[in-house]
Amino acid sequence: MLDMTNGLLPGSQSFGLHSGYRWLIPAVSTSLMILEYLLARHILHDTRQTHDLRETAATFGVALVKAPIRALTVGIVVVPFVLVYQYRLFDIPLNSAWAVVALFLGTEFFYYWHHRAAHGIRWLWATHAVHHSPTKLNLTAGIRLGWTGLISGNFLFFLPMVWLGFHPLAVLGMMGVNLGYQFFIHTQLAPSLGPLEWVLNTPRHHQVHHASNASCLDKNFGGILIIYDRLFGTFAAHPADEVLRYGLARPLTSYNPVYIAFHEWIAILRDLGRAQGWRERWRLLFGRP
């Protein structure tokens, strides 16, 4: 059996948390969401711009089901990661700064292209649309994630990192860091971060990404960094003369977590039933949303 701990950070045996601390992340996250809501009431004196309590309740419903699905997904995804790792080109232990930096930049690079594809390929969008469905941008949007990532094949985008020689747990761990950072940028209350806006994906950049304004669609795909958006022409600054509208271009009005999770798959099946010929069916599945 392949040793799943070989090649991690020195002294590290896994990226998992001790079972006694598994409650810590959801507890801290929920506390930050409550704090954001209270700050919105204090700063804006009106939370209608930032929060919809029915929408928040629906998001928690989506997140509660997502938690066990995520655990199951990781267990399944480890299998192809381990299989690919057996045919790796190199061995890249994380015992030097350059290796950790390479892991970080590489994971960010493949996340950028995965995220960009999720907006451009309907099969992937069917899962990712769940995350873009909230009409209010706040920290709870960071936990409204689709249930069908395994079906969409999101993990396939990160297999090249394992093939190059990064340990599967190292790649999964860095993906976790990437997604963990993104939780904090789902807010309207953060100010501009000055020079950091040139390098980091900040709340202002992510507000653009979640906006359904025509000038904001398909922009700012980065995870932690914004540099790949600048390099590949998908960066858009926060517009100074527009009020940003959040949610899908065709707003989703349901508060049913199950419908939220499957609404785009339902639309795909409906469109396939009306399609004429395999070319149109292919376009409906893998063309632009």
Side-chain angles (χ1 to χ4, degrees):
M1 180 180 292
L2 181 64
D3 180 6
M4 290 298 292
T5 63
N6 181 43
L8 295 178
L9 290 166
S12 171
Q13 296 302 310
S14 77
F15 280 91
L17 291 173
H18 187 277
S19 59
Y21 296 96
R22 287 177 183 168
W23 57 268
L24 186 61
I25 291 177
V28 171
S29 301
T30 303
S31 298
L32 290 172
M33 293 173 197
I34 294 172
L35 177 61
E36 181 193 34
Y37 176 76
L38 295 176
L39 285 173
R41 291 188 62 179
H42 176 72
I43 296 172
L44 303 177
H45 306 293
D46 186 352
T47 59
R48 286 178 295 180
Q49 176 184 333
T50 59
H51 290 78
D52 179 327
L53 295 184
R54 295 170 301 174
E55 195 170 83
T56 297
T59 294
F60 273 98
V62 172
L64 284 172
V65 177
K66 174 66 176 179
I69 291 176
R70 177 187 281 118
L72 177 63
T73 298
V74 171
I76 295 173
V77 164
V78 163
V79 176
F81 272 50
V82 170
L83 291 175
V84 171
Y85 189 66
Q86 295 184 53
Y87 299 96
R88 61 194 180 274
L89 297 178
F90 310 100
D91 285 300
I92 309 178
L94 299 184
N95 56 7
S96 64
W98 77 263
V100 176
V101 171
L103 173 65
F104 170 70
L105 291 177
T107 304
E108 181 73 22
F109 176 80
F110 286 108
Y111 174 82
Y112 168 86
W113 286 107
H114 159 252
H115 197 180
R116 187 168 175 173
H119 281 250
I121 300 173
R122 196 179 186 190
W123 183 263
L124 298 174
W125 176 249
T127 297
H128 191 55
V130 176
H131 181 59
H132 279 267
S133 60
T135 61
K136 307 296 181 184
L137 184 63
N138 53 62
L139 290 177
T140 66
I143 64 170
R144 185 185 280 211
L145 302 171
W147 301 345
T148 55
L150 190 62
I151 296 173
S152 292
N154 296 341
F155 69 93
L156 296 173
F157 286 83
F158 300 94
L159 289 178
M161 292 290 292
V162 179
W163 180 62
L164 285 172
F166 290 102
H167 195 281
L169 289 183
V171 176
L172 290 172
M174 189 58 75
M175 289 167 60
V177 170
N178 194 305
L179 295 175
Y181 170 87
Q182 290 184 56
F183 168 76
F184 297 97
I185 60 177
H186 291 85
T187 183
Q188 299 181 60
L189 300 184
S192 171
L193 300 183
L196 292 178
E197 302 275 346
W198 283 93
V199 179
L200 295 179
N201 187 19
T202 64
R204 286 179 64 80
H205 294 330
H206 211 57
Q207 289 165 23
V208 173
H209 178 72
H210 270 267
S212 57
N213 304 50
S215 62
C216 300
L217 294 178
D218 299 334
K219 301 295 184 182
N220 300 356
F221 296 113
I224 296 176
L225 303 176
I226 203 69
I227 58 174
Y228 294 123
D229 287 283
R230 294 186 184 276
L231 285 173
F232 298 118
T234 53
F235 173 75
H238 195 288
D241 56 350
E242 288 186 66
V243 175
L244 297 185
R245 301 182 306 276
Y246 300 108
L248 302 171
R250 183 177 300 169
L252 184 65
T253 57
S254 175
Y255 301 109
N256 182 328
V258 176
Y259 184 75
I260 291 170
F262 292 109
H263 75 274
E264 184 62 21
W265 292 109
I266 294 170
I268 288 175
L269 291 175
R270 182 181 63 242
D271 291 344
L272 288 175
R274 300 169 179 169
Q276 298 181 353
W278 288 106
R279 176 175 293 183
E280 184 177 357
R281 292 187 181 96
W282 178 269
R283 181 183 60 78
L284 289 170
L285 286 172
F286 302 107
R288 290 191 61 81

